């Protein structure tokens, strides 16, 4: 199972026993990100994002060198284009990132054919603090540590060199009688300041090693120096290659073609130049090619050595068919790390590219096209709708996506390129986060953080098609890594199918469990019976057991806390402790030679342990915190250890490259003698450890078992492996299954089927939410279906006969059933849609004969469709609404046995472009006033109005555009309305003066003012201020009691308001007299043409008095007089005039009024309102309706060439309402 998983905030990134690390770079949002990778590493979880990062090739992209999470690649390693089997795995989870990117973007080193193969970090020279950066594993084949190095002849290390004190060592420290290994030391002279190194071994039967060292400046965040070294003698000597690439060229990343490792691609640092250097002779010579873009990551084709994809800094994807010499643009706006080459045997075209691309409106789509033919006409969209960002994953037989919905997350899977089907988790799992752990054993492993979990995940297993998931283990522990990433404590043992080790949290304790049948059964680990000194250990299950740390090393050149190897089946080396729960204190090293059935302690301190000679021997080195000159070797699976010296000077070991060459016995130590020394590379030839080649007599059989039970995954498996203690050389991977005999099926070969749970008696029973009587709607009369017994056989289990027939689903005839469980939804799960958009409705039927059930769908707008059976609706039913409103969508399913109906209320909205608040500028206290919001375009029943009235803090919410309100106190009151339609909110605000009484005059102007009237609020505000200043010059009236409102439209008109003084202690009658007196003075000046102002040089405007006024003198006291009768007659006359003018489409200049309340904000107003009981009340209804007012204003604008207000920068299709 080549996987490790990563969960990243934005994401899902899981791979069993592979340590995935993903930096939270995006996203986003909190969307789940689907990720899956295949390197031995912990599963990394991207919280809030479904992230399935699953790769089908060997390449990996470089990451920026920053202090981020340490991680490994997300590609499934391949051997000659095919996935490599037997992956050791550990699952790592990353923190929230939204959309957090996948591993590829976070790793510095790359898999072979990916970027750098080994990267070593050193601490900054200025102090003792460590500097951490990302790293990427080598092409590890899903196994841990040495296994990856052996198989791929490559390693990628992004470790760290710790700050170390200067130490002096004398020759007296050397033991005279200790064994020595043949070794040679080479110092990378001149690179003592370089703090990063990448090592690459050219591969099978090659003696070439490449090393790229760099000086990374953490202050400016870029590489400032680099040196390329090359060895042709397995690392005995190295040659500086800077003159081959250009003495001043600064190199940043190294990539090696996975299918032809003689071909190498090196990128220059874009801070200096954007170029690519290409070599076809294992780095002996290079050709430089200029680039027009900066490469952020590369992805090589799994089978074609010259094909590559490049992702640029500006989110563009390019392809090259000649190994980087020429590049062709494929697509713009591609999501980082969400592009994939075709999968051999599944995609028809070998140059097909899968990618996740952004649309101009910000949505995300799954797109496929050919690398050199990706025009719009040649693009395909396998999933018809939009998907969540960073959710596309293409791996093995599966494609995963997440669909954006307004409720719970929805995940979809395509198996072998069939149509996408929604993933079925148990109904109430309600995932907060979901990550794919692996996909390479004909099923999908998924880790799900459910609604009631915080630091644990549940492990689920799917059927072969990846649709139906059942629970395998609850509450798997997570661990927070150095970079803040989360790691899922789940490890898959290499070389043994179906064997997993996990740390589970239960009752506030963490305990280690093991399974031999993919999670069907779990048990605790039996502790060793004695310690290193031979003393008995009294540890009785279940109160005491062995607990293991399941973290892979953040440095791929170190072994991590657990190691296995496919060529050494059954051998497990791990760090752990004995007790009631997992502890990180008083730990030791333990080994199992029989696949976890029994354990022995081998060291009291933590060591790094690797497999030599394809698993024939073990080599151990102490943790790199102290310098060492020795290593320990065991030929009997850790029972006895022999010490060997490899250096005369103690070395701080930063990493070890083991078995880089297939036919040689060489390992290389990387490190420093002190924190000021150059990089030291010690080549060790351990061939002298062996006395001969192994023969048939040196091998023995080993029976795989589970506590004495010989049947594991339905087989009795017998392996051939070297006899412990023999010092013979394997030379090649000799491990093999000698025989595999199928077993008789028993209960433990079957797991609970979807919808069933295992009860205390061990039997599977239906969950409370599951109805086993439901038959698939695709089951039609006359056909057959498989009726589940509640069990399904564990995937890849090879048992036969026995209880197989009893537990296997039974074939039955489809019954004839009436329709039940009919539902209708929009495809995106929303209850709103934009007018004119193409809406897709999905009809679902839980029960019924889909082929003999008629489906009718009424869209609620007078149109309906009918289908003879449900199969015609599988792709959805599309409809376009031609008007806005709330529509009742009704679905009917009917057959000869009955019917079922369901209803959906859909809000179809037209974009709101404009809102205008119509309100009187001055009103009488304690008198009701009408306030109206006019919306364009108008959509009744689809707009919500939020009113803030009388300086209130809480809004009044209505579905009507008008509201009545009474102001109880005098003063200036602010009225605000917000109009909400779909995702649009518009606002308008007015200020209303509330008084006991007031006086107003209507003003007109000389015709020359109309020539300069642009009819915009700012102009009206400025002209109103000028008019006020001109009036004050002829009347000694307090400025704060004089207000001027200029009406919209032409001819230009205005209204002058005279307000009483705030302090009316002198009496109301006197105040009225003062207003009357001031009014007379102003009218007299207006009649004598004494009020004028200069609009611009040479343009003087005269202000006139219009005889008709809206309110001669208004107060709130009842008073019957002849003036009131005259006012009533005036109103009647005014109403008649308005009617006649409206019929002739004339503009009434004083309907809408602008008032200058303050000089910073202009206000659109209607005429003043507020009469006493003795005075006829003038309301909006006595003039024109709000709609009529707006129509008149629009009419006036059309005459001036302004056009229809409904026209906007966006097209509004037929903005009418229902």
């Amino acid at each position: 199972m080549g996987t490790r998983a990563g969960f990243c905030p934005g994401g899902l990134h899981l791979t069993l026993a592979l340590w995935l690390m993903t930096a939270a770079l995006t996203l986003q949002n909190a969307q789940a990100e689907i990720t899956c990778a295949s390197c031995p590493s912990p599963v990394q979880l991207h919280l809030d994002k479904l992230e399935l990062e699953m790769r089908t090739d060997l390449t990996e992209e470089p990451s920026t060198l920053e202090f981020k999470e340490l991680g490994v690649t997300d590609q499934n390693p391949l051997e000659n284009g095919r996935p490599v089997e037997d992956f050791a795995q550990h699952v790592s989870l990353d923190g929230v990132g939204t959309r957090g990117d996948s591993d590829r973007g976070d790793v510095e080193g790359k898999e072979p054919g990916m970027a750098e193969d080994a990267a070593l970090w050193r601490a900054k020279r200025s102090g003792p603090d460590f500097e951490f950066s990302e790293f990427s594993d080598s092409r590890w084949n899903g196994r841990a540590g040495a296994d990856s190095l052996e198989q791929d002849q490559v390693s990628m290390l992004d470790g760290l060199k710790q700050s170390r004190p200067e130490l002096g060592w004398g020759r007296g420290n050397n033991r005279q009688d200790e064994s020595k290994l043949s070794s040679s030391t080479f110092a990378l002279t001149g690179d003592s300041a370089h703090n990063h190194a990448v090592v690459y071994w050219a591969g099978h039967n090659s003696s070439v090693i490449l090393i790229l060292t760099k000086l990374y400046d953490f202050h400016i965040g870029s590489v400032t120096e680099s040196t390329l070294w090359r060895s042709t003698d397995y690392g005995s000597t190295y040659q500086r290659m800077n003159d081959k690439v250009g003495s001043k060229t600064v190199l940043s990343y190294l990539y090696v073609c996975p299918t032809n490792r003689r071909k190498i691609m090196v990128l220059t640092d874009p801070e200096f130049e954007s170029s690519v250097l290409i070599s076809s002779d294992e780095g002996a010579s290079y050709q430089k090619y200029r680039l027009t873009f900066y490469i952020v990551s590369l992805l090589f084709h799994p089978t074609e050595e010259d094909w590559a994809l490049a992702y640029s800094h500006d989110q563009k994807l390019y392809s090259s068919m000649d190994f980087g010499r020429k590049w062709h643009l494929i697509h713009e706006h591609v999501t980082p790390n969400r592009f994939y080459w075709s999968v051999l045997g599944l995609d028809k075209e070998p140059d097909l590219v899968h990618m996740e691309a952004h649309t101009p409106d910000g949505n995300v789509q799954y797109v496929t096209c050919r690398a050199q033919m990706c025009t719009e006409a040649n693009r395909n969209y396998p999933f018809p709708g939009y998907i969540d960002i960073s959710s596309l994953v293409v791996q093995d037989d599966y494609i995963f996506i997440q669909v954006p919905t307004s409720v719970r997350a929805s995940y979809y899977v395509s198996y072998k390129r069939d149509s996408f089907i929604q993933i079925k988790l148990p109904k109430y799992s309600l995932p907060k986060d979901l990550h794919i752990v692996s996909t390479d054993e004909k099923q999908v492993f998924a880790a799900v953080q459910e609604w009631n979990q915080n630091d644990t995940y549940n492990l689920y297993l799917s059927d072969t098609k990846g649709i139906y998931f059942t629970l395998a283990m609850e509450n798997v522990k997570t661990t927070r890594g150095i970079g803040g990433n989360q790691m899922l404590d789940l490890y898959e043992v290499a070389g043994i199918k179906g064997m997993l080790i996990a740390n589970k949290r239960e009752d506030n304790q963490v305990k280690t469990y093991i399974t031999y049948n993919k999670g069907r059964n779990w048990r605790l680990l039996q502790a060793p019976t004695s310690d290193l000194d031979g003393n008995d250990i009294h540890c009785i299950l279940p109160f005491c057991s062995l607990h293991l740390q399941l973290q892979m090393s953040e440095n791929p050149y170190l072994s991590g806390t657990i190691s296995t190897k496919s060529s050494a089946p059954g051998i497990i080396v791990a760090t752990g402790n004995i007790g009631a729960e997992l502890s990180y204190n008083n730990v030791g090293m333990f080994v199992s030679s029989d696949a976890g059935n029994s354990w022995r302690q081998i060291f009291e301190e933590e060591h790094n342990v690797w497999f030599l000679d394809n698993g024939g021997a073990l080599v151990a080195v102490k943790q790199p915190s102290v310098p060492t000159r020795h290593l320990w070797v065991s030929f009997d699976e850790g029972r006895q250890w022999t010490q060997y010296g490899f250096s005369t000077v103690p070395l701080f070991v930063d990493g070890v490259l083991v078995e880089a060459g297939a036919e040689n016995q060489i390992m290389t130590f990387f490190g420093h003698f002190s924190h000021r020394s150059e990089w030291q590379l010690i080549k060790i030839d351990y061939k002298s450890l062996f006395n001969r080649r192994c023969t048939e007599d040196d091998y023995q059989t080993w029976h795989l078992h589970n506590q004495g039970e010989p049947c594991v995954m339905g087989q009795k498996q017998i392996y051939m492996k070297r006899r412990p203690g023999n010092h013979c050389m394997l030379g090649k991977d000799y491990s093999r299954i000698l025989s595999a005999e199928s077993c008789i099926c028993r209960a433990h070969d079957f797991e609970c089927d979807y919808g069933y749970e295992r009860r205390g008696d061990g039997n599977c029973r239906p969950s409370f939410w599951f109805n086993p009587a439901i038959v698939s709607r695709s089951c039609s009369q006359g056909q057959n279906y498989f009726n589940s017994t509640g069990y399904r056989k564990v995937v890849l289990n090879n048992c036969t006969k026995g209880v197989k027939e009893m537990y296997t689903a039974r074939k039955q005839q489809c019954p004839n059933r009436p329709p039940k469980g009919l539902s209708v939804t929009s495809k995106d799960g929303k209850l709103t849609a934009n007018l004119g958009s193409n809406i897709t409705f999905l009809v679902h039927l839980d029960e019924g004969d889909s082929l003999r059930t008629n489906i009718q769908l009424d869209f609620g707008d007078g149109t309906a469709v009918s289908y003879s059976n449900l199969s015609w609706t599988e792709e959805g039913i599309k409809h376009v609404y031609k008007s806005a409103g709330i529509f009742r969508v009704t679905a009917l399913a009917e057959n000869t046995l009955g019917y079922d109906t369901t209803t959906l209320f859909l809000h179809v909205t037209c974009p709101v472009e404009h809102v205008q608040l119509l309100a009187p500028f001055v009103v009488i206290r304690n008198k009701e006033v009408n306030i109206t919001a006019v919306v364009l375009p108008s959509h009744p029943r689809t707009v919500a109005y939020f009113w803030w009235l009388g300086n209130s803090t809480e809004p009044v919410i209505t579905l009507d555009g008008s509201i009545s309100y009474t102001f109880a106190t005098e003063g200036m009151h602010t009225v605000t309305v917000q109009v909400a339609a779909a995702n649009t909110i518009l606002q308008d605000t007015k200020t209303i003066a509330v008084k006991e009484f007031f006086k107003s005059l209507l003003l007109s102007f000389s015709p020359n003012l109309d020539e300069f009237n642009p009819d915009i609020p700012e102009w009206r505000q400025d002209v109103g201020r000028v008019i006020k200043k001109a009036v004050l010059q002829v009347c000694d009236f307090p400025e704060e009691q004089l207000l001027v409102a200029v009406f919209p439209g032409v001819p230009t008109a205005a209204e002058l308001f005279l307000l009483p003084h705030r302090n009316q202690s002198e009496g109301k009658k006197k105040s009225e007299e003062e207003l009357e007196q001031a009014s007379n003075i102003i009218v007299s000046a207006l009649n004598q043409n004494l009020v004028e102002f200069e609009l611009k040089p040479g343009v003087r405007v005269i202000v006139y008095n219009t005889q008709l006024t809206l309110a001669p003198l208004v107060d709130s006291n009842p008073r019957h007089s002849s003036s009131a009768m005259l006012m009533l007659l005036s109103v009647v006359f005014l109403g008649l005039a308005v009617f006649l003018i409206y019929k002739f489409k004339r503009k009434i200049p004083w309907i809408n009024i602008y008032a200058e309340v303050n000089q910073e904000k202009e206000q659109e107003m209607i005429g003043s309102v507020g009469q006493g009981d003795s005075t006829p009340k003038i309301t909006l209804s006595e003039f024109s309706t709000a709609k009529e007012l707006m129509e008149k204003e629009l009419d006036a604008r059309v005459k001036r060439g302004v056009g229809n207000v409904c026209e906007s920068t966006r097209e509004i299709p037929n903005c009418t309402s229902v």
Side-chain angles (χ1 to χ4, degrees), residues 375-619:
T375 61
E376 183 61 41
N378 295 323
R379 293 172 185 168
N380 295 312
Y381 302 89
F383 186 78
Y386 298 128
I387 66 175
D388 273 336
I389 188 172
S390 296
S391 70
L392 173 66
V393 171
V394 179
Q395 174 163 329
D396 298 327
D397 294 337
Y398 307 92
I399 300 176
F400 299 89
I401 59 171
Q402 180 178 348
V403 175
T405 61
S406 57
V407 287
R408 69 182 64 174
S410 296
Y411 311 106
Y412 286 77
V413 61
S414 169
Y415 177 66
K416 291 188 175 180
R417 304 303 185 263
D418 286 342
S419 299
F420 281 90
I421 299 176
Q422 186 171 359
I423 289 175
K424 300 294 184 181
L425 290 166
K427 186 174 183 179
Y428 295 108
S429 66
L430 304 179
K432 294 190 299 185
D433 193 21
L434 183 148
H435 308 271
I436 300 302
V437 176
S438 73
T439 60
D440 58 350
E441 289 194 350
K442 303 301 181 182
Q443 68 178 151
V444 180
F445 278 65
V448 177
Q449 188 172 62
E450 303 190 9
W451 62 275
N452 56 351
Q453 293 178 307
N454 293 317
D455 59 351
T456 60
Y457 281 74
N458 291 347
L459 182 65
Y460 286 88
L461 299 180
S462 78
D463 59 349
T464 301
K465 293 185 177 181
I467 300 173
Y468 294 97
F469 284 80
T470 59
L471 182 65
M473 172 174 269
E474 292 183 299
N475 297 319
V476 180
K477 173 184 172 290
T478 61
T479 304
R480 182 68 63 177
I482 292 178
N485 55 293
Q486 280 189 305
M487 294 167 288
L488 186 67
D489 281 12
L490 178 66
Y491 187 88
E492 183 185 8
V493 178
I496 300 179
K497 180 176 59 178
M499 185 174 174
L500 304 171
I501 303 176
N503 284 328
K504 178 181 179 181
R505 184 181 298 279
E506 53 184 21
D507 300 328
N508 295 323
Q509 291 183 328
V510 176
K511 298 184 179 183
T512 301
Y513 286 82
I514 190 169
T515 179
Y516 295 83
N517 52 9
K518 288 191 173 183
R520 164 62 173 83
N521 301 101
W522 297 86
R523 64 171 174 84
L524 296 169
L525 299 180
Q526 177 65 60
T529 57
S530 61
D531 60 17
L532 286 175
D533 298 326
N535 300 318
D536 291 341
I537 297 177
H538 300 283
C539 184
I540 301 176
L541 295 172
F543 310 103
C544 174
S545 60
L546 176 64
H547 308 283
L548 305 180
Q549 298 178 22
L550 301 180
Q551 290 82 35
M552 293 302 299
S553 173
E554 291 156 343
N555 180 339
Y557 274 163
L558 302 179
S559 65
T561 62
I562 184 167
S563 300
T564 57
K565 186 177 180 68
S566 61
S567 61
I571 301 178
I572 307 172
V573 183
T575 303
N577 67 283
I578 299 173
E581 62 177 326
L582 178 66
S583 173
Y584 293 90
N585 300 318
N586 301 321
V587 299
M589 298 295 297
F590 299 87
V591 64
S592 174
S593 300
D594 55 3
N597 286 283
S598 62
W599 296 82
R600 303 182 304 274
Q601 187 172 2
I602 54 177
F603 295 111
E604 291 182 344
E605 298 175 311
E606 291 187 65
H607 285 64
N608 288 286
V609 180
W610 294 271
F611 293 85
L612 294 182
D613 190 32
N614 289 294
L618 299 175
V619 60

Side-chain angles (χ1 to χ4, degrees), residues 1095-1107:
L1095 186 65
K1096 58 185 299 185
V1099 179
R1100 299 196 63 83
V1101 177
I1102 301 175
V1103 183
Y1104 304 104
N1105 175 34
T1106 302
Q1107 298 301 319

Side-chain angles (χ1 to χ4, degrees), residues 1070-1087:
K1070 184 175 181 181
S1071 297
E1072 292 179 353
E1073 293 175 352
E1074 291 177 353
L1075 291 184
E1076 190 68 34
Q1077 181 180 1
S1079 175
N1080 293 334
I1081 295 174
I1082 295 174
V1083 169
S1084 176
L1086 292 171
N1087 292 336

Side-chain angles (χ1 to χ4, degrees), residues 637-898:
E637 300 176 348
R639 293 176 177 85
Q640 294 181 344
W641 295 85
T642 303
Q643 177 178 289
Y644 293 89
F646 66 87
S647 174
T648 58
V649 179
L651 179 75
F652 287 97
V653 179
D654 292 316
V656 179
L657 177 61
V658 183
E659 295 192 16
E663 300 299 331
N664 61 76
Q665 287 70 43
I666 293 175
M667 57 182 172
T668 304
F669 278 62
F670 306 91
H672 300 77
F673 294 138
S674 73
H675 74 278
R676 295 182 180 177
S677 71
E678 291 86 0
W679 293 93
Q680 305 293 326
L681 293 95
I682 301 179
K683 170 191 172 183
I684 301 174
D685 188 341
Y686 59 87
K687 188 178 300 182
S688 61
L689 295 176
F690 307 98
N691 51 27
R692 57 186 171 82
R693 286 278 183 177
C694 292
T695 64
E696 290 293 332
D697 294 336
D698 292 306
Y699 295 92
Q700 67 179 16
T701 59
W702 173 68
H703 296 252
L704 175 64
H705 66 95
N706 176 12
Q707 290 187 320
E709 169 56 56
C711 290
V712 176
M713 291 293 288
Q715 283 183 324
K716 295 179 181 179
Q717 301 177 45
I718 302 176
Y719 291 82
M720 290 289 293
K721 64 179 183 179
R722 188 176 60 181
R723 295 179 184 274
N726 289 357
H727 287 228
C728 64
M729 183 187 303
L730 296 177
K732 61 180 180 179
D733 184 358
Y734 192 81
S735 69
R736 67 179 185 270
I737 298 179
L738 183 62
S739 66
E741 178 185 349
S742 295
C743 298
I744 298 299
C745 288
R746 290 181 289 175
H748 64 250
D749 295 311
F750 292 81
E751 61 189 3
C752 290
D753 203 351
Y754 175 78
Y756 291 80
E757 297 175 334
R758 193 171 301 280
R759 303 299 170 86
D761 58 1
N763 294 320
C764 296
R765 297 283 187 267
S767 301
F768 74 94
W769 51 266
F770 183 71
N771 182 6
I774 293 179
V775 180
S776 172
R777 59 182 175 81
S778 61
C779 188
S780 182
Q781 187 176 8
Q783 296 178 343
N784 295 320
Y785 77 102
F786 288 95
N787 187 14
S788 175
T789 61
Y791 300 86
R792 67 185 186 192
K793 192 165 77 168
V794 175
V795 176
L796 297 185
N797 185 293
N798 293 313
C799 73
T800 60
K801 301 180 180 179
V803 299
K804 181 177 180 180
E805 184 177 353
M806 181 174 66
Y807 284 156
T808 302
R810 300 178 178 88
K811 183 184 291 188
Q812 295 181 359
Q813 278 198 339
C814 296
N816 194 9
R817 312 170 308 282
K820 288 184 180 180
L822 180 67
S823 64
V824 59
T825 61
S826 61
K827 189 159 190 176
D828 57 7
K830 298 179 180 179
L831 298 177
T832 62
N834 291 328
L835 181 65
S837 63
N838 204 333
I839 306 167
T840 301
F841 293 98
L842 299 179
V843 178
H844 176 76
L845 187 65
D846 289 336
E847 297 183 58
D849 188 341
S850 62
L851 296 181
R852 289 174 170 80
T853 300
N854 178 271
I855 299 295
Q856 298 179 22
L857 188 64
D858 188 336
F859 299 108
D861 61 349
T863 59
V865 293
S866 179
Y867 297 91
S868 59
N869 61 68
L870 198 62
S871 61
W872 293 101
T873 68
E874 290 181 354
E875 298 298 325
I877 304 172
K878 300 182 183 298
H879 185 65
V880 177
Y881 286 91
K882 298 182 179 180
S883 59
I886 303 176
F887 297 90
R888 176 173 177 164
V889 182
T890 304
L892 170 67
E894 186 177 19
N895 62 19
T896 58
L897 297 181

Side-chain angles (χ1 to χ4, degrees), residues 55-106:
R55 280 303 186 181
T56 58
D57 55 55
L58 301 171
T59 60
E60 181 60 86
E61 68 183 16
S63 66
T64 58
L65 299 180
E66 300 175 357
F67 297 129
K68 300 176 184 174
E69 298 97 304
L70 299 153
V72 294
T73 66
D74 64 348
Q75 297 289 314
N76 277 340
L78 301 174
E79 190 66 48
N80 298 326
R82 299 181 60 187
V84 180
E85 299 178 353
D86 300 323
F87 293 87
Q89 293 140 351
H90 180 88
V91 190
S92 140
L93 312 108
D94 188 354
V96 177
T98 75
R99 247 350 185 167
D101 295 329
S102 68
D103 314 322
R104 285 190 303 175
D106 294 336

